[in-house]
Amino acid sequence: AYKTLFNSELISFPTVDGPVVLMTLTDGSRFTVRDVMLASPTEDAVSCKTLFGNGLQVTLSALESLQFLGGRFVYLSELKPFNYRSTPFLSRHWDLQTNRTVLGGQLLLRGTNYALGIGMHSKSEVSYKLDGKFSRFQATIGIDDETNGGGSVVFAIDADAKRVFTSKLITGKSTAVVIPPIDVDGVSVLTLHVDFGTFGDINDHADWCDAVLIRKRIE
């Protein structure tokens, strides 16, 4: 029912200007909208507009999540890293993936699907320039379900070359770990690390899900 509201040819995708919302439905559908609000005090639904200007109404029972893009919330997957380094355990080099696992699949931690995040493999590190513009960073981490319980890694975070977070050993059977908000006020460079665990680099499909920076308030 929703597909008729979108440009099916995708040849004239509009330029996005200002904050938008990534809407995920319970059937797995995802699309970007703006102007999200409750349809009315009496209706169990939200109304919004697609980026093509069409009105859309979605019942709350069909709504899985809303993720706000732009404004003060900036996901790492929206930023371009200035440095990425992969150190193979033997010889294979793994590329950094945006909103995908290292194998190109959907980000999935213990049955929960994430639309936004970074896919990495041991051993690797990626750095982003923050230029002191942000106040906090947070993410949910784990080894992707595509390994069927395999893999073991250690996640770590550096702020201007100072270690500010190190996880315990995380395996493909560990529960997803929610990293509490990390203070990055005044930080110029944020670096994410994924290190080898106990079995070399076998199945080390490490996900940084919902990895988001909070922009400073402008007084």
Side-chain angles (χ1 to χ4, degrees):
Y2 300 122
K3 65 182 180 180
T4 58
L5 298 171
F6 300 91
N7 181 334
S8 60
E9 296 182 359
L10 296 179
I11 59 175
S12 58
F13 198 85
T15 300
V16 178
D17 182 20
V20 294
V21 179
L22 178 62
M23 178 177 286
T24 302
L25 304 185
T26 54
D27 67 359
S29 301
R30 291 194 182 105
F31 40 89
T32 306
V33 297
R34 61 173 72 247
D35 301 335
V36 178
M37 63 184 69
L38 286 174
S40 75
T42 59
E43 291 186 84
D44 186 24
V46 295
S47 65
C48 57
K49 288 184 180 179
T50 72
L51 299 189
F52 300 102
N54 302 100
L56 176 64
Q57 186 165 303
V58 179
T59 61
L60 294 181
S61 60
L63 185 62
E64 178 72 24
S65 67
L66 296 173
Q67 291 176 284
F68 295 85
L69 309 178
R72 293 187 63 213
F73 296 89
V74 180
Y75 287 83
L76 282 188
S77 52
E78 299 178 76
L79 301 179
K80 183 177 180 179
F82 78 88
N83 183 60
Y84 172 71
R85 182 172 62 183
S86 172
T87 305
F89 186 76
L90 293 175
S91 60
R92 181 170 181 175
H93 171 88
W94 293 87
D95 292 330
L96 180 73
Q97 297 289 340
T98 300
N99 301 331
R100 289 289 185 267
T101 71
V102 288
L103 291 184
Q106 294 187 355
L107 299 168
L108 192 65
L109 296 180
R110 309 308 164 263
T112 299
N113 186 279
Y114 297 84
L116 302 173
I118 303 296
M120 297 174 64
H121 200 285
S122 65
K123 178 179 179 180
S124 60
E125 62 181 62
V126 60
S127 297
Y128 298 85
K129 289 186 178 180
L130 306 189
D131 296 326
K133 297 178 181 178
F134 300 92
S135 60
R136 288 183 297 163
F137 171 76
Q138 57 194 65
T140 298
I141 56 175
I143 292 183
D144 199 89
D145 288 359
E146 68 187 5
T147 69
N148 294 315
S152 63
V153 302
V154 174
F155 293 79
I157 300 172
D158 290 349
D160 285 341
K162 178 182 178 181
R163 185 61 47 93
V164 293
F165 173 82
T166 304
S167 75
K168 63 181 181 180
L169 181 70
I170 294 178
T171 74
K173 295 180 180 179
S174 302
T175 58
V177 175
V178 178
I179 299 175
I182 292 175
D183 184 3
V184 293
D185 189 8
V187 171
S188 296
V189 176
L190 181 74
T191 303
L192 310 183
H193 300 265
V194 174
D195 207 346
F196 301 124
T198 54
F199 300 103
D201 66 349
I202 299 174
N203 285 324
D204 287 355
H205 303 184
D207 297 343
W208 301 80
C209 300
D210 285 350
V212 64
L213 291 155
I214 311 301
R215 196 183 298 274
K216 288 182 178 181
R217 290 186 181 275
I218 300 177
E219 303 297 338

